[in-house]
Amino acid sequence: MHWSRDKRIEACAAIVAESTRIQLALRRAWRHGDPLDWVPWNVALGTVWLVGSPAVVAAAATMDQVFWDHSDQFVQQTATSETAWKEARDLMEAARLDFINAARLHVDPRHNKLTQVPVSRPPLFRAAAPSAGPPPTGRAVPDSSGA
């Protein structure tokens, strides 16, 4: 029983780690043309299909669908703006949060649902530093981190 529970936790942790890796790799593919390796993601999905509950599998499938729905524009470098990235990123992170909540309940039904995504990142656009003065156009300075 402990072995089975440990395997479910490991499988869910792999999905969370790989989904984060894929999200960052999509950003690098779009911005720098870096290749994307889907194999670890697909291995993690296969493992969850073996040991996950129906709710966990469904949440992983939803996350996979979000990647498929948005990946071409970044892999083929056809996304036209940071806004396109922000919209896709927010959907990826929402799907990841849904998966995490399904996994938490699968491991221990007493867990409460989380409402915050498991990443801390600056907003897509941030204001210029106060000592630097406003940008010449008066607009926000693009955030170069982009995660």
Side-chain angles (χ1 to χ4, degrees):
M1 193 156 98
H2 290 298
W3 178 88
S4 180
R5 182 176 186 274
D6 288 347
K7 290 300 172 192
R8 289 191 307 264
I9 292 170
E10 288 171 15
C12 291
I15 287 288
V16 173
E18 285 303 317
S19 66
T20 302
R21 184 190 64 78
I22 287 292
Q23 179 179 326
L24 295 173
L26 285 169
R27 174 79 180 179
R28 286 189 307 273
W30 177 46
R31 294 315 235 165
H32 308 292
D34 291 357
L36 193 66
D37 181 8
W38 289 99
V39 172
W41 168 248
N42 289 324
V43 168
L45 284 175
T47 304
V48 160
W49 256 250
L50 287 172
V51 300
S53 70
V56 168
V57 169
T62 298
M63 199 174 352
D64 189 49
Q65 186 63 50
V66 169
F67 287 142
W68 277 106
D69 289 346
H70 299 280
S71 63
D72 281 353
Q73 66 180 323
F74 303 114
V75 172
Q76 297 172 8
Q77 297 178 306
T78 60
T80 58
S81 69
E82 287 291 330
T83 301
W85 171 254
K86 179 190 177 298
E87 290 169 4
R89 178 200 65 199
D90 289 352
L91 290 169
M92 288 181 250
E93 290 176 358
R96 184 179 302 113
L97 181 59
D98 288 345
F99 175 83
I100 288 169
N101 280 319
R104 286 169 53 87
L105 291 174
H106 177 59
V107 170
D108 185 347
R110 297 172 295 183
H111 278 141
N112 294 323
K113 281 193 167 189
L114 301 176
T115 58
Q116 182 178 347
V117 295
V119 293
S120 179
R121 58 172 161 71
L124 189 59
F125 292 96
R126 62 179 172 214
S131 62
T137 62
R139 290 189 219 138
V141 176
D143 173 13
S144 60
S145 71

